[in-house]
Amino acid sequence: MKKTIQIGFMFVIFSMILIPIQNDVFAETVKLADFVDPNKDPQYYLDRYYNEITYKSWFDRNYPDITIEEAVGSSNGESSVIDSILKKELIQEADATLVHQEPVQTNNSETVNMILAIGGLGILFGAVYGIKRNVNDNTRQISINKDTIKNKIIKPITRTNPLNILQIRLAKGEISLEEFEALEKKLQS
């Protein structure tokens, strides 16, 4: 089965190639371009075309519709037949356009600078985060210290209740129990 498909495929390819050969290639007669000297060997013109840039440019500019082989009537046997088949039937002509390409950058200094900049920013952000974290810890400690200071120093001063002051003085031993009771009676009356 596989061999049958291969043979059928080859038959289609050969028929596509042979039909244009019978219709186009063999029906054409060799006609030389007007600049060709029939006494010169066609290889002379082919050598000039492929080796001299100015001659190639002149030919391509003045004879854009034919190849140099067609112009000089060069028949290299099968290769010219195959070339003409490929040109006429199988390979479609394409418009060539100049594509501008950016040159490949071989200097890696921009990449290195970018990596260093990103690394520096990482270090900077790490330092800022660390400082901010320490500040937050310090803020908590300051808040705790503030409450402690308030309870130990400021609250006793702000207690303006005379009875509380008498109790504190009694506790400190500044007054005796009899003095406390006498002062307490005076405050209640």
Side-chain angles (χ1 to χ4, degrees):
M1 178 73 175
K2 188 176 182 182
K3 193 162 195 133
T4 307
I5 293 173
Q6 289 175 344
I7 291 171
F9 182 75
M10 294 300 288
F11 177 73
V12 171
I13 297 294
F14 283 126
S15 65
M16 287 175 56
I17 293 174
L18 289 178
I19 291 171
I21 289 175
Q22 292 171 354
N23 294 339
D24 294 335
V25 176
F26 295 122
E28 293 179 8
T29 58
V30 177
K31 181 178 177 186
L32 300 177
D34 56 352
F35 70 91
V36 177
D37 182 2
N39 297 328
K40 288 191 177 182
D41 183 23
Q43 191 61 41
Y44 165 77
Y45 295 105
L46 294 174
D47 289 342
R48 286 192 69 190
Y49 180 81
Y50 290 114
N51 295 323
E52 298 176 24
I53 295 171
T54 55
Y55 186 79
K56 181 180 186 323
S57 175
W58 170 83
F59 178 82
D60 290 341
R61 190 173 51 252
N62 292 308
Y63 299 94
D65 296 332
I66 61 172
T67 64
I68 186 69
E69 288 84 6
E70 292 171 340
V72 299
S74 171
S75 59
N76 292 339
E78 288 182 14
S79 65
S80 65
V81 171
I82 291 173
D83 289 342
S84 66
I85 290 171
L86 289 175
K87 182 175 181 197
K88 290 180 182 177
E89 299 297 325
L90 299 179
I91 301 175
Q92 297 178 356
E93 292 186 29
D95 293 330
T97 58
L98 179 62
V99 177
H100 176 71
Q101 293 180 338
E102 293 292 324
V104 177
Q105 181 185 4
T106 57
N107 187 356
N108 291 332
S109 65
E110 288 183 17
T111 306
V112 170
N113 287 341
M114 182 64 73
I115 290 170
L116 288 174
I118 291 171
L121 285 173
I123 291 170
L124 178 66
F125 285 127
V128 168
Y129 176 75
I131 291 170
K132 184 175 180 338
R133 190 169 171 200
N134 284 341
V135 167
N136 286 344
D137 289 344
N138 289 343
T139 304
R140 257 186 261 123
Q141 189 61 41
I142 288 171
S143 176
I144 293 169
N145 290 344
K146 187 170 101 176
D147 290 339
T148 304
I149 291 169
K150 189 186 229 184
N151 288 336
K152 286 185 178 178
I153 298 173
I154 298 175
K155 277 196 178 177
I157 295 173
T158 58
R159 289 186 200 148
T160 55
N161 185 350
L163 185 59
N164 287 341
I165 293 173
L166 285 177
Q167 289 172 346
I168 291 171
R169 289 185 68 195
L170 177 65
K172 287 183 179 179
E174 294 177 358
I175 57 173
S176 66
L177 185 58
E178 292 95 24
E179 291 175 324
F180 173 76
E181 289 175 353
L183 289 172
E184 185 182 26
K185 285 183 186 176
K186 285 186 180 179
L187 287 175
Q188 289 178 357
S189 46

